[in-house]
Amino acid sequence: MDMTTVGLLYPGHSAEDDYPRIAVLLGGDIRLPVFHTDIGEDAHREDALIEMGAADRLAAGVEELRLAGAESLVWACTSGGFVRGRDGAQEQIRELAQAAGLPASSTSFAFVHAAQALGVGRVAVAATYPDDVTGLFEKFLESAGIGVVAARSSGIVTAAEVGTWERERVLELARAGDDPRAEAVLMPDTALHTAAHLRELEETLGKPVLTANQVTVWEGLRLAERRAWADGLGTLFARPDRRPEEE
């Protein structure tokens, strides 16, 4: 199969090492080059997040990723999208697509599309963010017709701190954020290392878990019209005949 290349615009440095791990699990014919955008002020605060996702910051990485052969682009930052609301987030990726001349999206919309692809209508949110930022993510999901039955906030202000979280803390957050009414649990921070824990997360909760770096890659592949399956990357990347709801 021909090589597929998904370009990722990632703010700063926190959990970008999830992407080479995901690429290995997907096989040798998928490339995930990363351009590190200027993070500005590292703060899960509305004004800082809006500035983090400014058009000029995102456009700075477009040419490098085009030269790397990107067939699609994803703004790999959840809060830097949904903080603008649904219309603002849509305008953000429209501008990015125009600048790149490529299909583009963001992690915020990746969560929506991934949940829809799995037929999930009710979710629980397990977030690293402060309460107000988590609330904005809830509103974003609900504007897309996805019901949020529970939401857990951790009150962490910086991506740098989130990037230091190890396995047990990730699992603890997922367990705390789950709710029996939820069909899936969403963990929305791209600064959180989750790629190594997806199998254990789903086994622990007994339901699909969607995490930011996972859905980001899936969204980029969707835009590139490339279907990919992989063991260890959760229900989202499981072959349809192996998904629990279809057994």
Side-chain angles (χ1 to χ4, degrees):
M1 183 175 289
D2 292 339
M3 182 72 68
T4 300
T5 301
V6 174
L8 304 172
L9 295 163
Y10 187 91
H13 298 266
S14 294
E16 69 272 22
D17 47 332
D18 264 7
Y19 295 118
R21 180 185 291 272
I22 292 171
V24 167
L25 291 171
L26 288 172
D29 56 356
I30 290 174
R31 296 176 60 243
L32 304 172
V34 176
F35 179 90
H36 296 275
T37 64
D38 179 9
I39 197 171
E41 182 182 0
D42 181 9
H44 287 139
R45 197 180 65 242
E46 188 170 353
D47 61 331
L49 293 169
I50 288 174
E51 180 57 31
M52 187 189 303
D56 57 338
R57 291 177 188 261
L58 303 193
V62 164
E63 187 59 24
E64 181 173 317
L65 292 176
R66 280 174 56 88
L67 291 173
E71 297 162 56
S72 62
L73 292 180
V74 185
W75 166 225
C77 178
T78 322
S79 56
F82 70 69
V83 72
R84 296 168 176 263
R86 186 170 178 82
D87 290 345
Q90 187 66 59
E91 179 63 22
Q92 182 185 61
I93 62 172
R94 185 181 301 114
E95 291 175 352
L96 178 59
Q98 290 173 345
L102 294 170
S105 189
S106 68
T107 307
S108 290
F109 284 107
F111 273 108
V112 171
H113 297 151
Q116 291 171 341
L118 294 180
V120 168
R122 299 185 310 278
V123 304
V125 172
T128 56
Y129 310 135
D131 287 342
D132 60 335
V133 177
T134 302
L136 293 174
F137 186 50
E138 291 179 69
K139 290 179 181 178
F140 182 86
L141 293 171
E142 289 167 349
S143 73
I146 297 172
V148 179
V149 298
R152 172 83 174 193
S153 300
S154 301
I156 306 302
V157 174
T158 68
E161 180 176 350
V162 173
T164 67
W165 283 26
E166 297 183 352
R167 168 187 165 275
E168 186 49 48
R169 201 164 180 189
V170 174
L171 291 171
E172 179 184 352
L173 173 60
R175 287 191 293 262
D178 190 17
D179 185 283
R181 298 168 294 171
E183 299 168 288
V185 174
L186 277 53
M187 305 184 76
D189 198 340
T190 58
L192 187 66
H193 288 92
T194 58
H197 313 310
L198 280 160
R199 186 194 302 274
E200 188 173 8
L201 285 165
E202 292 200 341
E203 289 175 351
T204 298
L205 301 184
K207 64 185 63 174
V209 177
L210 299 177
T211 70
N213 293 325
Q214 170 211 40
V215 301
T216 296
V217 173
W218 179 87
E219 179 80 339
L221 292 170
R222 184 186 70 83
L223 291 175
E225 299 183 348
R226 169 69 187 275
R227 303 188 74 182
W229 321 115
D231 292 332
L233 287 178
T235 303
L236 185 62
F237 279 100
R239 292 185 182 276
D241 60 347
R242 296 181 186 177
R243 290 179 180 170
E245 65 271 22
E246 297 185 20
E247 289 180 352

